[in-house]
Amino acid sequence: MNWIPLTNEDQLKQLIENSQSRPQVIFKHSTRCSISSMVKNRLEKNKAPESLDFYFLDLMANRPLSQKVASVFNTEHESPQVLLVKRGHCVYSESHNGIAMDEIVENSTAA
């Protein structure tokens, strides 16, 4: 898995722009949460599809940015959480043990 660190609002704006032509994934991770670490490891065991960009948002280091993500995409703030962004909108959001690579992929190809 080639994570792209998401650390500032300029990157978030670029991610939204990039989502117009290519689905973008945000993984919100808490380094203090064992469930979050388990989910991160589970995602990393899968082969990441080349058709998606995967962003890693460290909640402990970037809490204001995480709250901005929740606001921009009108989602509840959760950890761990994955958001799939297509054409500027969050089209799929899941948290905790519900996070699975196959569902991310399935939703990324849905119309």
Side-chain angles (χ1 to χ4, degrees):
M1 174 82 59
N2 186 23
W3 295 108
I4 303 166
L6 181 57
T7 59
N8 62 64
E9 287 191 35
D10 287 338
Q11 282 182 295
L12 179 58
K13 290 175 188 173
Q14 186 64 52
L15 178 152
I16 293 168
E17 186 176 313
N18 291 349
S19 77
Q20 298 298 327
S21 59
R22 178 181 171 96
Q24 307 289 300
V25 177
I26 300 171
F27 177 64
K28 293 172 139 189
H29 174 65
S30 172
T31 55
R32 296 183 185 163
C33 174
S34 61
I35 294 173
S36 191
S37 294
M38 180 195 67
V39 171
K40 180 179 177 278
N41 288 336
R42 192 171 63 208
L43 287 173
E44 290 175 339
K45 287 181 181 179
N46 291 280
K47 181 169 175 24
E50 293 182 14
S51 59
L52 303 171
D53 293 325
F54 285 82
Y55 286 83
F56 179 86
L57 176 53
D58 179 340
L59 299 177
M60 299 293 100
N62 299 290
R63 185 157 302 278
L65 182 58
S66 177
Q67 292 170 336
K68 178 73 174 183
V69 168
S71 174
V72 166
F73 297 115
N74 196 28
T75 59
E76 293 290 324
H77 167 75
E78 298 186 74
S79 168
Q81 183 179 34
V82 69
L83 289 83
L84 175 64
V85 181
K86 290 172 65 175
R87 295 177 214 87
H89 301 282
C90 179
V91 298
Y92 172 76
S93 175
E94 187 59 76
S95 68
H96 295 82
N97 290 326
I99 298 172
M101 184 66 79
D102 59 339
E103 288 188 20
I104 294 169
V105 171
E106 181 179 319
N107 283 281
S108 73
T109 59

